[in-house]
Amino acid sequence: MESHLLPILIFMGGAAALAVGLLVVGGLLGPRRNSAAKEMPYESGMDPIHDARRRFDVRFHLVAIAFLIFDVELLFLYPWAVASRQAEGIDAAVGDAQRMSAAVGLGDGFQIGFSRGLVFVEVMVFIGLLTVGLIYAWRKGVLQWR
Amino acid sequence: MPSPEIILTIVKVALMIGGLMTAAAYFVLLERRVAAWTQDRIGPNRVGMPLTNWRLWGLGQPLADGVKFITKEEYTPAHVDKPLFILAPISILVAALAVFAAVPVGSYLPVPESWGLGDKVDLVVAPHMDVGMLYVFALSSVAVYGVVLGGWASNNKYSFIGGLRSSAQLVAYELPLGLGILGVVLAAGSLDLEEIIRAQVRDGVWYAFAQPLGFIVFGVAAFAEAGRLPFDLPECEQELVGGYHTEYSSLKLLLFLVAEFLHMILASFLIVILFFGGWSLPFGLTGAADAEQLSLAMGIFRLLVMSGKVFLVIVFFMLARWSWPRFRYDQLMALALKVMLPLGILNLVSLAVFYELRANITGGGGWGYEMLQLLACWVVCGAAWLAVAYARPLVADNRPRRDINSYRIDSQV
């Protein structure tokens, strides 16, 4: 069974059917009694004085933006983490590049500038940029909650 | 007549959903019994078999709770945004369940060839998924939507604050979670959860001991993602009367509560799979990693070992709940972004350096290098602990400053 999509779709369909089915069954079996007090938003017995959707602290927004930046950067690291430890990963790619440079006849000792070390240094620079971003956000006070 | 694979998949899905829902119900009972035991009470032990006098240690309690939930009024308040209000619990439950499609619950079981399924059945709904870890990571993030939708649609101030807090907490802890996973992926060289377990057996050491710093970062983040104490700011029974599900009742509330327990079960599964070797036991008790054919007994034994480990982690979750007070919100966010995120980066960089050095040694450096790396990882962990203890980023002076006009500070930010 090579297709992974089908089991997942069946699973999601089953889960959705369960969730909707439970709500429907509950709607059929439960009693219906309405009252004015029930209609009010629950605020520990006080009468609510205005709509709940008001302006909120901008910090939530800043955290969301910081999350977007860092999380997308992290996603780029997953392929590298897998490839750097597998036989058909970076090592194979480096071997291909070297064979190619030999085939084109670039001469002895000349290689296309691509090696395991270079990949590693580039990834470290990438993580370094991420760290610089974190330090910037920290110094800017984005991470400071009062 | 559908193919045997389809039938197998449907059976697996049914078993998985049924098992998870039952497990969630019974973990509620277990949680209450553990809570009672911690507080020197007895806990719910009355409800047993209906129509008889058998109490059975309260095992009937989850059934009674379910019946009670179903026969409650299915009520949608008039002041809410109706479609979103109903969509929120459904989406959170579907996401919480669907994650388990990629989570192996054991190794595999041998079956007769005559069933038309080959000679073995993998104990996971979608077997050999190369991006299993990414799938789990992606779907567990969908929980944020349910929380935000519920908080926003409720049109209630408690729900709104709870939803905001919760979304900020969940996204903040997703970063250390991802960094902790990256360390494991780097060590195992695969995103397939079954392959990660096998890699731990091949390496001969569980990653909780091979990369202690990564384990700490991941474990804390997993606690926070599951919304368990000491990270249960979204709920905050005492301050926010339930947070984002204040306005929910009957089965819609049940969906939220079940999803919450499913998150905890998922966190336990991930901790066991990524850091405690899944179905494996030390000293080769559970057989070789790449065994081509298992006996039925060994297949069941692996399943039991894994379930036992998950159970122990869940009990630890429950004990932690009654041992720790809740964090203050600024401490919570500081822990995520100022402690766990830098520690996660440190863990990742140190592991990357170790494995890169190893790749440059012919033959991988052998046993000696492996021990050296293990030692170095523990040294990094200790150094990180000392650094955090020295820097104390969680200590913040929150007392009002009399010497500064606070209004002026607010206008500057």
Side-chain angles (χ1 to χ4, degrees):
Chain A
M1 205 186 333
E2 282 308 307
S3 165
H4 305 305
L5 204 54
L6 189 61
I8 291 172
L9 283 181
I10 294 177
F11 204 129
M12 281 188 177
L18 178 79
V20 175
L22 271 176
L23 289 187
V24 170
V25 168
L28 292 178
L29 288 182
R32 297 217 169 270
R33 283 186 294 270
N34 215 343
S35 68
K38 228 187 219 177
E39 292 279 335
M40 284 196 324
Y42 177 74
E43 289 190 7
S44 308
M46 317 287 275
D47 285 350
I49 42 174
H50 52 66
D51 195 74
R53 287 153 193 170
R54 316 215 72 197
R55 304 194 330 186
F56 54 88
D57 198 336
V58 70
R59 246 162 265 276
F60 289 106
H61 186 65
L62 295 179
V63 166
I65 291 179
F67 161 74
L68 267 186
I69 295 167
F70 290 128
D71 208 44
V72 171
E73 288 202 35
L74 275 184
L75 277 182
F76 282 123
L77 288 174
Y78 278 90
W80 162 75
V82 174
S84 78
R85 298 273 296 142
Q86 274 186 349
E88 62 266 33
I90 292 176
D91 288 332
V94 170
D96 283 349
Q98 286 172 351
R99 263 194 304 286
M100 226 158 69
S101 70
V104 192
L106 286 172
D108 295 342
F110 187 89
Q111 291 175 351
I112 294 176
F114 178 56
S115 68
R116 212 190 144 86
L118 183 68
V119 174
F120 178 72
V121 169
E122 281 186 354
V123 168
M124 283 302 123
V125 169
F126 190 69
I127 297 176
L129 285 178
L130 201 150
T131 315
V132 170
L134 176 67
I135 294 171
Y136 176 76
W138 195 325
R139 294 292 299 272
K140 266 287 187 191
V142 173
L143 316 181
Q144 186 65 46
W145 292 71
R146 279 180 303 121
Chain B
M1 184 70 195
S3 73
E5 273 95 6
I6 303 275
I7 296 176
L8 175 72
T9 304
I10 291 173
V11 169
K12 276 183 188 169
V13 168
L15 279 179
M16 200 75 180
I17 292 182
L20 283 172
M21 296 301 281
T22 316
Y26 274 89
F27 280 131
V28 175
L29 176 68
L30 181 71
E31 167 127 54
R32 292 176 66 184
R33 292 304 290 265
V34 169
W37 175 73
T38 323
Q39 298 166 353
D40 205 6
R41 295 185 281 119
I42 297 174
N45 69 344
R46 297 282 141 168
V47 187
M49 186 83 86
L51 307 177
T52 62
N53 274 334
W54 301 342
R55 280 189 193 161
L56 299 174
W57 315 280
L59 284 182
Q61 187 72 46
L63 268 177
D65 285 345
V67 170
K68 186 190 79 179
F69 262 116
I70 288 180
T71 51
K72 286 279 177 188
E73 179 178 1
E74 174 67 24
Y75 179 67
T76 307
H79 55 86
V80 302
D81 188 335
K82 221 163 188 171
L84 295 186
F85 189 76
I86 295 172
L87 182 65
I90 294 179
S91 71
I92 201 169
L93 183 82
V94 170
L97 270 177
V99 183
F100 285 90
V103 176
V105 294
S107 177
Y108 58 86
L109 293 176
V111 292
E113 290 273 3
S114 57
W115 291 8
L117 299 166
D119 56 353
K120 55 190 176 191
V121 168
D122 291 277
L123 292 176
V124 51
V125 173
H128 313 301
M129 188 148 72
D130 288 331
V131 291
M133 196 61 246
L134 272 187
Y135 172 78
V136 169
F137 194 44
L139 263 191
S140 63
S141 318
V142 176
V144 183
Y145 286 100
V147 170
V148 171
L149 283 180
W152 178 261
S154 290
N155 199 0
N156 174 318
K157 292 178 197 85
Y158 290 125
S159 303
F160 185 58
I161 299 171
L164 271 181
R165 279 186 176 192
S166 189
S167 53
Q169 171 186 339
L170 291 182
V171 299
Y173 277 93
E174 211 129 286
L175 301 172
L177 195 77
L179 281 167
I181 292 172
L182 260 175
V184 170
V185 170
L186 194 61
S190 174
L191 285 166
D192 183 353
L193 288 165
E194 296 161 85
E195 180 59 30
I196 289 174
I197 296 175
R198 285 197 289 272
Q200 292 180 63
V201 181
R202 275 196 291 269
D203 286 358
V205 56
W206 293 346
Y207 290 148
F209 305 106
Q211 19 184 301
L213 188 58
F215 174 57
I216 292 171
V217 169
F218 181 85
V220 168
F223 257 75
E225 288 285 307
R228 300 285 300 180
L229 264 161
F231 302 102
D232 73 335
L233 273 288
E235 320 261 310
C236 263
E237 290 96 340
Q238 295 87 349
E239 300 159 32
L240 292 175
V241 263
Y244 56 88
H245 52 56
T246 301
E247 288 289 330
Y248 283 89
S249 60
S250 74
L251 278 165
K252 291 199 279 293
L253 178 66
L254 176 80
L255 297 193
F256 270 119
L257 299 183
V258 168
E260 209 166 278
F261 267 83
L262 289 177
H263 289 152
M264 181 176 74
I265 296 173
L266 175 73
S268 312
F269 262 107
L270 287 185
I271 288 175
V272 166
I273 290 171
L274 298 179
F275 290 98
F276 285 103
W279 43 257
S280 71
L281 280 183
F283 313 116
L285 281 176
T286 45
D290 306 296
E292 272 304 308
Q293 194 51 285
L294 285 180
S295 66
L296 186 62
M298 182 58 91
I300 293 174
F301 182 55
R302 285 182 172 183
L303 177 67
L304 289 180
V305 166
M306 184 136 171
S307 316
K309 282 184 190 174
V310 171
F311 183 78
L312 286 182
V313 174
I314 287 178
V315 170
F316 176 73
F317 265 93
M318 289 172 178
L319 288 179
R321 170 168 183 181
W322 300 104
S323 314
W324 282 76
R326 181 181 294 139
F327 280 112
R328 214 171 53 206
Y329 197 71
D330 61 321
Q331 293 172 329
L332 177 92
M333 296 308 279
L335 182 67
L337 297 166
K338 293 185 179 176
V339 181
M340 286 306 155
L341 189 53
L343 286 190
I345 293 176
L346 174 69
N347 176 54
L348 179 65
V349 169
S350 62
L351 281 173
V353 169
F354 295 149
Y355 280 113
E356 193 61 27
L357 286 175
R358 203 157 155 184
N360 287 325
I361 303 170
T362 32
W367 188 77
Y369 187 84
E370 217 160 284
M371 292 309 287
L372 208 64
Q373 178 177 339
L374 203 71
L375 192 69
C377 281
W378 279 92
V379 169
V380 168
C381 183
W385 176 54
L386 285 180
V388 172
Y390 178 74
R392 296 195 301 169
L394 288 188
V395 177
D397 190 351
N398 266 32
R399 287 171 299 179
R401 301 265 311 259
R402 292 275 160 81
D403 52 327
I404 299 176
N405 182 353
S406 68
Y407 176 75
R408 214 167 57 219
I409 300 180
D410 280 340
S411 62
Q412 279 169 2
V413 173

